[in-house]
Amino acid sequence: MTASTVPPPSTPRTSRVTTAPRASRATMEDIVALARTFAAARATTEAVAEDIKAAQRKAVLGRLRALRNRIAEQAASEEALRTAILARPDLFVSPRTITVDGIRFGLRKQPGAIALADEAQTIGRLRTRFPDRAEALIRVKETLDRAALRKLPAGELAQIGVTIEKATDDVVIAAASSDLDRMVAALLDDHSPAEAA
């Protein structure tokens, strides 16, 4: 491939896909051309995603008032149900919960929170008063700080039996920071093939 076949950065390609030349024969110009093709394909994807987002915004804006009204009605009906349940706990002794039309409601015992003033003092008391149960009730965990270990010289790592494995080069392809990937994933999740059928 010659320099004249490398498109300038401002020329987007929308339908032609450039395939990689044989790896052993690729030149820097070939790789630059592939990077430009990737950038153009990404720009096209971004344009389509933006069109979809604009259509979604238009659809939502058209129904926003109705949506807000439904959300307010839902919140009010949930609060009315909660108030009624709290007013009559005697109705939820057995069973504690009931399901009607897919809504499970009733009462449930909350686990509560462990409260202590000083954890170190509590551990000390536990070891003193219940030494046979201390091991089961106290968590002790020693782990190596791998980030700190990476800073040690290879000779020192070898002395303690640590080696650095798989320290190889990896291909890096990073587009300029944007929300495109998250947006495309969200659009695809929202409209799965089952919904489109």
Side-chain angles (χ1 to χ4, degrees), residues 132-147:
D132 55 325
R133 290 189 278 166
E135 189 176 322
L137 297 171
I138 300 170
R139 247 190 245 154
V140 178
K141 183 178 179 185
E142 288 184 342
T143 61
L144 291 170
D145 183 341
R146 283 169 167 70

Side-chain angles (χ1 to χ4, degrees), residues 2-27:
T2 64
S4 62
T5 61
V6 176
S10 61
T11 306
R13 291 185 182 176
T14 56
S15 60
R16 197 172 122 204
V17 176
T18 302
T19 58
R22 288 195 322 242
S24 61
R25 311 281 279 159
T27 65

Side-chain angles (χ1 to χ4, degrees), residues 191-197:
H191 302 285
S192 62
E195 292 177 24

Side-chain angles (χ1 to χ4, degrees), residues 119-156:
E119 189 167 3
Q121 279 185 350
T122 302
I123 290 172
R125 287 185 195 129
L126 181 63
R127 288 188 194 280
T128 304
R129 295 188 177 124
F130 308 107
D132 55 325
R133 290 189 278 166
E135 189 176 322
L137 297 171
I138 300 170
R139 247 190 245 154
V140 178
K141 183 178 179 185
E142 288 184 342
T143 61
L144 291 170
D145 183 341
R146 283 169 167 70
L149 285 173
R150 287 183 193 281
K151 296 175 185 172
L152 291 178
E156 291 181 12

